Structures are given as structure tokens and as C-alpha cells.
Amino acid sequence: MTEPTRDSDTIEPPAGGTTHFGNRTVEAVEKEGLVRQVFDRVASRYDLMNDLMSGGLHRLWKDAMVAWLSPPRRRPWSVIDVAGGTGDVAFRVLDRAPGAHVTVLDINQEMLDVGQMRAGKRSGGEAGRVAFLQGDAQTLPFEDASFDAYTIAFGIRNVTRIEDALSEARRVLKPGGRFLCLEFSQVTAPMLDRVYDFYSFNAIPAMGRLVAGDAESYRYLVESIRRFPNQAAFSTMIEQAGLRRVRHRNLSGGIAAMHSAYKF
Ligand code: SAM
């Protein structure tokens, strides 16, 4: 069993061209390819595994995210959902706000293909309200001030240079635009902490092996969760990127947290 670690009170910048890939130290340039391989391998089982691993909780967390986002129901509103994968956040925004247009951007075409297929199966005049686009969170292919909102769910911890992704978020937001991030975070309840560690480092890789035939990818996902900055440290990073009015809300005792901020 890999021991859980969390470096979340300090933000560890990649030193000497290296960074973390789960608990391994790799060259920063290597990480993107490794992350891509993980999501290539898990794409077809990604939605099923999310349900199994979280006991369906991820659905409630994404509901909570879109409820806090609170997209206006009638007027046109443009959202970029970065690392949007198979479209879970995008579809929730579309269901809630008929005036919204969502651009789902992800580095991994396999994940986007699953999302595109799901979009095709949904009924109700959505054509033209959602677009799927391959791209990198660290260099967004959009002009400054393009979007009313920027969302990212369970994506930012996979990015090699989180600072660059945050700075890009600020750049593409219109003045007054909203940033909202949902990510695994630091459990705040002590007993829950132990149960969660045991579950994460034993049950999740085992489930990955059984259901997706791939324990390694799921081990990476768990390790990357533990390496991610805690609530306070991530708030500081968001502020350092120039976003303002940073607030967070914990979900399920801090297993996940949402961070909200604005561009002024
Ligand atoms: N947001 C979706 C959800 O909540 O179901 C997908 C989350 S999935 C855990 C993480 C996603 O981040 C993957 O689809 C992966 O391809 C994407 N990703 C990783 N690095 C990225 C990057 N640098 N730019 C854009 N997407 C990236």
C-alpha cells in the first residue's frame, strides 16, 4: 500500500524542471503525456468508475457546484468548462440555464468523444449550445475577456503548472466574471480522515483493477488528490493569480471543496 501524503500546507513549485505525478517525481514536460495516458485509459469507464468510487457523491458535488454558480436562466451567458471531460458540469449548466452556452475544453480527445456522444443522446434543442474542444488549460485558445464564467471540476490537480491555469482563467474571464473550481481537498473531520485514507489507497485501486482493468491509473488519481493544496493554500494561489473575493465551501467534510472568485 502506498502511504498517503499531503503537502498541502506548503505549495510546492516544481523545482529544477521536475514536478509530481502522483507520488512520483517526473520531468515537468513528461507529466502532460502521463496524465493524458491516464485519461486515455480510463475514458470509456470514467463515468461508471466515478459513480462506483464516490458512491454517487460526485453527482451531488457537481449539483452543488452548479447551484452555487447559479447561471442566469434567461439571458445569454457563456461558460468555459475547463478539463470538462465527458460533460458532467456542462450538461448541468445547460439543464439549469436555457440561455447558457458552454464550451467544454479538455486536453484529452477520448474524454471529449464520450462527452460528444452523450450530448448527441440528450434530447431538447441543445445543438449550438455546447461545443467540445481539445485544448490545454495552461494556454487557452481564446481571446481575453471571452467568458462570463470559468468552471473546472476535478481537473486542476492534473495540470502541470496550476499557476498558469489560474492566470489563464483570469485572462479569459470578462470583468465581473466568475471563477468556480470543484476539487478534492483536505478532510476536516479526524475520524473521517482515517476511513477515507484506507478507502482511497486500498479500495479505489482495487476497484480500478476490477472494473477498468487498471489499478495504476486509479492509484495516480488518489495520489494526485493527496498532493493537491488544501483549502487555504489553494485560496492563496487563486488570489495570487489576481482573482478576487475568494471563498470556499467544503463538501462531505472536506473530501471535496468548491472555490469561488471573481475577476475585477
Ligand atoms: N470535469 C470532468 C468531471 O468532473 O467529470 C472531468 C474530470 S477528470 C477527473 C480530469 C480531466 O482533466 C480529464 O478529462 C483530463 O483529460 C483533463 N485534463 C488534464 N490535464 C489537462 C490540461 N492541462 N488541460 C485541459 N484538461 C486537462
Side-chain angles (χ1 to χ4, degrees):
M1 173 183 148
T2 314
E3 281 305 308
T5 53
R6 181 177 276 281
D7 299 326
S8 45
D9 291 330
T10 52
I11 302 157
E12 268 188 278
T18 62
T19 187
H20 293 295
F21 176 72
N23 284 344
R24 282 167 57 197
T25 300
V26 297
E27 292 298 316
V29 287
E30 232 187 302
K31 176 165 173 170
E32 196 174 298
L34 290 168
V35 169
R36 197 188 298 252
Q37 278 172 24
V38 165
F39 289 102
D40 274 345
R41 287 205 297 260
V42 304
S44 62
R45 299 289 177 106
Y46 176 78
D47 292 322
L48 170 66
M49 278 300 293
N50 257 356
D51 278 334
L52 288 176
M53 286 184 328
S54 73
L57 268 180
H58 77 106
R59 292 171 184 258
L60 302 181
W61 296 336
K62 287 168 183 165
D63 288 346
M65 179 190 200
V66 176
W68 198 14
L69 183 66
S70 195
R73 284 178 200 271
R74 307 239 183 280
R75 72 184 155 83
W77 211 59
S78 57
V79 185
I80 179 166
D81 184 40
V82 175
T86 60
D88 267 8
V89 171
F91 298 137
R92 280 170 172 75
V93 172
L94 294 176
D95 286 344
R96 208 178 154 103
H101 180 278
V102 187
T103 302
V104 180
L105 178 134
D106 199 286
I107 205 159
N108 188 296
Q109 190 60 46
E110 311 259 337
M111 294 288 280
L112 292 168
D113 289 347
V114 176
Q116 191 102 55
M117 215 163 55
R118 288 176 72 193
K121 285 186 187 153
R122 285 165 54 91
S123 56
E126 266 175 28
R129 294 215 295 131
V130 58
F132 291 85
L133 182 72
Q134 190 174 22
D136 187 343
Q138 299 161 116
T139 49
L140 295 176
F142 296 101
E143 303 205 337
D144 298 359
S146 295
F147 296 96
D148 296 299
Y150 172 108
T151 53
I152 183 162
F154 304 116
I156 204 153
R157 75 174 190 282
N158 296 297
V159 169
T160 308
R161 293 180 307 277
I162 294 174
E163 296 82 354
D164 290 0
L166 292 172
S167 138
E168 280 291 87
R170 183 181 183 283
R171 184 183 68 74
V172 300
L173 277 172
K174 295 177 186 172
R178 175 85 179 275
F179 167 90
L180 195 56
C181 174
L182 169 62
E183 190 49 89
F184 289 103
S185 202
Q186 184 162 36
V187 170
T188 45
M191 285 314 286
L192 178 61
D193 206 7
R194 289 197 200 152
V195 177
Y196 179 57
D197 274 348
F198 182 81
Y199 177 76
S200 304
F201 284 91
N202 294 281
I204 290 183
M207 261 189 252
R209 186 168 45 243
L210 275 176
V211 180
D214 182 1
E216 269 317 296
S217 294
Y218 286 92
R219 200 181 315 283
Y220 157 72
L221 292 176
V222 172
E223 289 169 1
S224 66
I225 290 168
R226 294 304 199 278
R227 289 245 166 232
F228 192 69
N230 69 13
Q231 290 84 335
F234 187 49
S235 293
T236 304
M237 291 179 83
I238 296 170
E239 265 170 15
Q240 283 169 347
L243 290 157
R244 295 291 170 254
R245 281 178 58 200
V246 182
R247 283 178 296 160
H248 79 266
R249 288 183 186 172
N250 285 335
L251 295 163
S252 306
I255 292 178
M258 302 183 284
H259 283 76
S260 163
Y262 291 85
K263 171 173 174 175
F264 288 112

